[in-house]
């Protein structure tokens, strides 16, 4: 194990990263504003063009509309404008939107280019428009939808809203997240605890980037069953559910007994695995030694990099790195498009770390000489943060403990080992586990800021 000291940070900067002190810590965030909603009295009116609908109560918005646009004036003084074509396209009435499948029923070509409201009603539930169609088509838009879908301009409180992530370092060993196998495997007849336990597991994976499942029977069959309860197993060139020893049956260092530095898996996929799930089935000691598991919060170290070396962070967010898997006969994996080490969503939040030096291809195609030099410096700095004593969490896995890792965030590795060591596990797609988490959240009506139980972008 190579450990390095973390570069000097201010006391305030370091304090916020420790477990227990960051119940709502965020990765690469901007400031947020709150937006409140209170009940109001409805207001109805017939309108011409242009028209202005002013509610009788000041706690609901004012609406004005003309032949091309509809403006919403919010009680806090902000204004957002929507193109009428946009609003009609997002109508969720039964004629436009299948209520069960949540799919659109009309094509863009059937929407009149001069579509506009001829009547507007506004109340505490939303804005209700009657359109200039032959059948007096009606649409209703909840206020929450209008706030979140605002684009001209966006409402800052929603544009800047980020998902909560609990950043952690080596001190996580004092109280790592875990759930119980018996809870996950319980049946609906036993009080519906199974679904809630799975949601608890997925929430902890979301918040921390990993979670242990304790007291799992140390067999491949039981392990596969518990993974299947969580989400669908993803098939790759390694198979679906896999069980292996250090026999190099695949041309990958994971199938050896060598030590592995912290890395994410399947960087050579266009869509890297979402979850990496491990279960150590056996490693008799003696005679076997070593094989400790390493975990590093890639979001935590990325946050440190952005604080200490913002230019380096920018380079790792911009320059695209090729990756490959070529060690297995008949397999030549390489994404058609290279990707940067840090990927962000449309709000600028870090959502994925791709970091695997062993699978990295030849860099520099299309780069300037300064970018090549700058990337090596940035990558070295990030590597030093990942290998620091502050960041590394080492744990000796034992039979009976399943480890679930968010492969888009938390890097894993291991120390070298001797003796016969048998592991099993599987990959799960990112879309699959995030979808399962959202569906279970909605089922149990658990209101978390990180999940919109009523999906405003689909069916409200």
């Amino acid at each position: 194990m190579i450990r390095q000291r973390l570069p000097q940070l201010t006391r305030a900067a370091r304090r916020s990263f420790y477990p227990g002190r960051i119940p709502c810590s965020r990765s690469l965030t901007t400031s947020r504003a709150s937006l409140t909603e209170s009940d109001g009295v409805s207001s109805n009116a017939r309108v011409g063009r242009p028209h202005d609908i002013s509610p009788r109560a000041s706690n609901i918005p004012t609406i004005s509309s003309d032949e091309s646009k509809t403006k919403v004036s919010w009680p806090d003084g902000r204004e957002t404008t929507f193109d009428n074509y946009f609003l009609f396209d997002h109508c969720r009435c039964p004629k436009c939107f299948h209520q069960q499948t949540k799919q659109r029923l009309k094509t863009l070509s059937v929407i009149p280019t001069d579509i506009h409201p001829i009547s507007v009603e506004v109340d505490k539930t939303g804005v209700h428009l009657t359109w200039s169609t032959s059948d007096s088509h009606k649409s209703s838009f909840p206020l929450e939808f209008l706030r979140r879908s605002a684009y001209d301009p966006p409402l800052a409180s929603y544009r800047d809203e980020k998902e909560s992530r609990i950043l952690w370092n080596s001190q996580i060993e004092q109280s790592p997240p875990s759930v119980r196998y018996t809870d996950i495997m319980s049946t609906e007849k036993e009080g519906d605890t199974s679904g809630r336990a799975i949601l608890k597991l997925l929430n902890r994976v979301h918040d921390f980037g990993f979670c242990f499942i304790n007291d799992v029977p140390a067999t491949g069959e039981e392990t596969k069953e518990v993974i299947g309860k969580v989400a669908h197993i993803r098939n790759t060139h390694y198979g679906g559910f896999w069980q292996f020893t250090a026999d190099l049956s695949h041309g990958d260092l994971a199938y050896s007994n060598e030590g592995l530095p912290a890395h994410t898996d399947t960087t050579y996929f266009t869509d890297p695995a979402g979850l990496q799930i491990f279960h150590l089935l056996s490693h008799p000691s003696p005679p076997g030694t070593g094989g400790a598991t390493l975990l590093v919060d890639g979001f935590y170290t990325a946050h440190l990099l952005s604080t200490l070396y913002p230019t380096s962070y920018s380079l790792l967010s911009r320059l695209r790195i090729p990756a490959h898997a070529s060690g297995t006969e008949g397999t030549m994996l390489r994404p058609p498009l290279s990707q940067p080490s840090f990927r962000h969503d449309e709000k600028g939040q870090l959502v994925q770390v791709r970091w695997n030096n062993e699978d990295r291809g030849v860099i520099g195609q299309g780069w300037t000489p300064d970018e090549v030099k700058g990337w090596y410096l940035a990558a070295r700095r990030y590597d030093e943060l990942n290998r620091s004593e502050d960041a590394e969490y080492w744990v000796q896995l034992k039979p009976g403990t399943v480890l679930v890792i968010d492969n888009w965030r938390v890097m894993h590795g291991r120390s070298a080992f001797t003796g016969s060591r048998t592991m099993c596990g599987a990959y799960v797609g990112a879309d699959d586990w995030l979808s399962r988490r959202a569906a279970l959240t909605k089922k149990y009506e658990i209101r978390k800021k990180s999940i919109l139980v009523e999906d405003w972008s689909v069916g409200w």
Side-chain angles (χ1 to χ4, degrees), residues 328-452:
T328 301
E329 185 176 356
T331 299
M332 291 287 289
L333 288 168
R334 192 213 184 283
L337 295 175
S338 299
Q339 297 292 339
S341 298
F342 302 149
R343 187 167 70 85
H344 303 78
D345 63 14
E346 61 275 9
K347 299 177 183 179
Q349 184 181 22
L350 180 65
V351 294
Q352 184 181 24
V353 171
R354 290 177 182 244
W355 193 256
N356 192 316
N357 189 63
E358 291 66 44
D359 292 339
R360 177 165 53 85
V362 179
I363 67 168
Q365 283 69 41
W367 299 7
T368 68
D370 286 343
E371 286 175 331
V372 172
K373 184 177 181 179
W375 184 87
Y376 276 114
L377 176 61
R380 182 180 180 86
R381 285 170 169 170
Y382 189 53
D383 185 59
E384 289 173 349
L385 291 172
N386 291 328
R387 295 164 71 90
S388 69
E389 184 177 356
D390 173 75
E392 290 184 334
Y393 166 41
W394 289 92
V395 57
Q396 192 75 50
L397 293 180
K398 297 180 180 180
T401 300
V402 168
L403 172 59
V404 183
I405 303 170
D406 179 354
N407 186 57
W408 284 24
R409 170 183 172 181
V410 170
M411 291 176 268
H412 65 279
R414 69 162 184 245
S415 63
F417 65 90
T418 63
S420 176
R421 183 174 183 263
T422 302
M423 298 284 293
C424 70
Y427 291 131
V428 169
D431 291 337
D432 289 326
W433 82 266
L434 292 172
S435 172
R436 186 78 196 283
R437 177 174 178 254
L440 288 172
T441 297
K442 185 173 183 178
K443 176 180 179 180
Y444 297 112
E445 297 182 350
I446 298 174
R447 305 283 174 163
K448 287 175 66 78
K449 286 186 177 181
S450 55
I451 295 182
L452 296 176

Side-chain angles (χ1 to χ4, degrees), residues 56 111 132 134 138 153 159 251 297 305 329 347 350 436:
R56 292 194 298 267
I111 303 177
S132 58
S134 58
K138 295 184 178 181
R159 178 190 62 206
D297 185 353
L305 185 72
E329 185 176 356
K347 299 177 183 179
L350 180 65
R436 186 78 196 283

Side-chain angles (χ1 to χ4, degrees), residues 235-251:
N235 279 285
T236 69
H237 60 298
Y238 299 113
F241 180 81
W242 29 258
Q243 186 166 319
F244 68 96
T245 60
D247 58 5
L248 284 177
S249 57
H250 287 275

Side-chain angles (χ1 to χ4, degrees), residues 147-421:
R147 291 189 182 104
R148 289 189 174 275
S149 61
Y151 61 89
D152 183 22
L155 294 180
S157 57
Y158 290 94
R159 178 190 62 206
D160 297 337
E161 188 176 80
K162 308 291 184 179
E163 286 200 34
S164 297
R165 304 278 186 166
I166 300 176
L167 305 182
W168 53 265
N169 59 10
S170 58
Q171 291 194 7
I172 194 72
E173 67 180 352
Q174 298 175 13
S175 182
S178 65
V179 297
R180 294 185 301 180
Y181 166 79
T182 52
D183 289 341
I184 289 179
M185 299 305 295
S186 62
T187 65
E188 302 289 323
K189 294 181 180 179
E190 293 172 345
D192 195 24
T193 59
S194 175
R196 294 182 185 275
I198 293 170
L199 178 58
K200 180 180 179 181
L201 166 67
L202 296 179
N203 279 339
R204 292 188 172 183
V205 172
H206 171 272
D207 294 343
F208 292 93
F210 78 100
C211 187
F212 294 111
I213 305 176
N214 293 328
D215 303 320
V216 180
T219 68
E221 293 77 10
E222 299 280 359
T223 306
K224 183 178 181 180
E225 184 178 4
V226 73
I227 296 174
K229 291 273 287 185
V230 174
H232 298 295
I233 291 176
R234 176 176 176 177
N235 279 285
T236 69
H237 60 298
Y238 299 113
F241 180 81
W242 29 258
Q243 186 166 319
F244 68 96
T245 60
D247 58 5
L248 284 177
S249 57
H250 287 275
D252 191 288
L253 288 173
Y255 289 76
S256 73
N257 60 0
E258 296 185 26
L260 299 175
H263 65 280
T264 59
D265 267 20
T266 61
T267 55
Y268 41 76
F269 284 171
T270 301
D271 174 30
L275 297 181
Q276 165 84 74
I277 303 175
F278 289 119
H279 189 187
L280 174 67
L281 296 181
S282 67
H283 187 199
S285 177
T289 61
T293 295
L294 168 65
L295 297 177
V296 174
D297 185 353
F299 282 12
Y300 167 67
T301 51
H303 201 150
L304 293 182
L305 185 72
S306 70
T307 302
L308 294 166
Y309 311 110
T311 300
S312 292
Y313 183 91
S314 178
L315 283 175
L316 295 186
S317 301
R318 178 171 60 85
L319 296 177
R320 296 174 176 269
I321 308 302
H324 73 100
S326 307
T328 301
E329 185 176 356
T331 299
M332 291 287 289
L333 288 168
R334 192 213 184 283
L337 295 175
S338 299
Q339 297 292 339
S341 298
F342 302 149
R343 187 167 70 85
H344 303 78
D345 63 14
E346 61 275 9
K347 299 177 183 179
Q349 184 181 22
L350 180 65
V351 294
Q352 184 181 24
V353 171
R354 290 177 182 244
W355 193 256
N356 192 316
N357 189 63
E358 291 66 44
D359 292 339
R360 177 165 53 85
V362 179
I363 67 168
Q365 283 69 41
W367 299 7
T368 68
D370 286 343
E371 286 175 331
V372 172
K373 184 177 181 179
W375 184 87
Y376 276 114
L377 176 61
R380 182 180 180 86
R381 285 170 169 170
Y382 189 53
D383 185 59
E384 289 173 349
L385 291 172
N386 291 328
R387 295 164 71 90
S388 69
E389 184 177 356
D390 173 75
E392 290 184 334
Y393 166 41
W394 289 92
V395 57
Q396 192 75 50
L397 293 180
K398 297 180 180 180
T401 300
V402 168
L403 172 59
V404 183
I405 303 170
D406 179 354
N407 186 57
W408 284 24
R409 170 183 172 181
V410 170
M411 291 176 268
H412 65 279
R414 69 162 184 245
S415 63
F417 65 90
T418 63
S420 176
R421 183 174 183 263

Side-chain angles (χ1 to χ4, degrees), residues 110-128:
V110 304
I111 303 177
T113 56
D114 62 349
I115 192 75
H116 58 269
I118 60 173
S119 176
V120 175
E121 298 177 359
V122 58
D123 56 28
K124 66 182 180 180
T125 65
V127 176
H128 316 284

